[in-house]
Amino acid sequence: MLSRGRPRLCLLLLALVALPAMQCGPRLSLDAPGEAQLLDEAPVLVTGEVAKAFQPASVELRLDGVDLIAALGLVPPFTGAGGVVNVGGQLVTVSGFDFDPTPPGVTPLLVDLDGLDPGDHTLELVAQRAGTAPTSVLRSFGVVAAFQQPATTLDSGAPAASLSLGSEGSVSGASLGQPLAGPPVSLSLGSEVRPGFVPVREELITGATP
């Protein structure tokens, strides 16, 4: 029984040893935006990484199928690049485009995209190692229109005022409402109230109901 199980155990150990090596292969990634992320702010920040094993001239960043690097006529290395690209009939503003493979280590990729239509979009980062087929990573995200509540101005219906009503006493009040339906009633103290405000208050003081 032990002899039969040994080959399987050896194969399992070999697989476990090989797994980290497979996971630590050349890195090609899109880190932002997140997969299926909904964005309501502009510009959209795109970040990624390209390992040194990939040829810099082979790198493409495709937005909805359009290679932004080629569309802008860029050749690595470049930093702070930008311009306007027609993507599916929509003019997208590209700014802060960085891809400089000259420093050691993994090369970061960074770009801001402004002017994306609300809806679903795709990003694809493509790169190729010498003698191999191109490698690509795909990312889908959505853009929604930002919620905007227009500011409205509310006119003061009746600023605080004190009215002398003889033996019934005095009333005072303030309200905030839409523009007055009729001209305001001027008071001797320089304030104004809505038409009908004084009679209603007087009736309430004397015990009447609205």
Side-chain angles (χ1 to χ4, degrees):
M1 294 295 294
L2 291 178
S3 60
R4 291 181 180 177
R6 246 175 228 173
R8 295 181 182 178
L9 180 60
C10 291
L11 290 175
L12 178 60
L13 291 175
L14 288 174
L16 292 175
V17 170
L19 183 59
M22 294 172 60
Q23 293 177 338
C24 296
R27 177 171 172 77
L28 185 70
S29 69
L30 281 172
D31 303 318
E35 177 62 30
Q37 183 177 359
L38 291 178
L39 304 170
D40 62 354
E41 295 182 353
V44 173
L45 174 63
V46 178
T47 63
E49 289 184 337
V50 180
K52 285 292 186 289
F54 294 99
Q55 298 174 324
S58 70
V59 174
E60 299 178 4
L61 180 63
R62 300 173 183 170
L63 171 64
D64 297 335
V66 176
D67 180 13
L68 300 180
I69 296 177
L72 294 172
L74 301 175
V75 178
F78 53 83
T79 58
V84 178
V85 179
N86 188 328
V87 180
Q90 180 69 23
L91 296 181
V92 177
T93 301
V94 179
S95 60
F97 202 170
D98 295 348
F99 181 65
D100 184 1
T102 54
V106 176
T107 302
L109 183 145
L110 177 71
V111 64
D112 286 323
L113 305 176
D114 201 355
L116 292 175
D117 274 340
D120 295 330
H121 298 275
T122 60
L123 282 167
E124 186 178 14
L125 181 59
V126 182
Q128 186 174 3
R129 290 176 289 168
T132 66
T135 302
S136 67
V137 290
L138 192 66
R139 178 65 47 86
S140 298
F141 66 98
V143 173
V144 296
F147 175 77
Q148 295 180 348
Q149 176 62 45
T152 56
T153 302
L154 299 178
D155 294 338
S156 177
S162 179
L163 308 177
S164 177
L165 301 177
S167 60
E168 289 84 1
S170 62
V171 296
S172 63
S175 67
L176 186 67
Q178 297 295 330
L180 302 179
V185 177
S186 298
L187 305 176
S188 60
L189 299 178
S191 301
E192 297 177 339
V193 294
R194 289 179 184 272
F197 179 80
V198 175
V200 171
R201 285 299 181 188
E202 186 174 8
E203 290 179 4
L204 292 176
I205 290 175
T206 58
T209 57

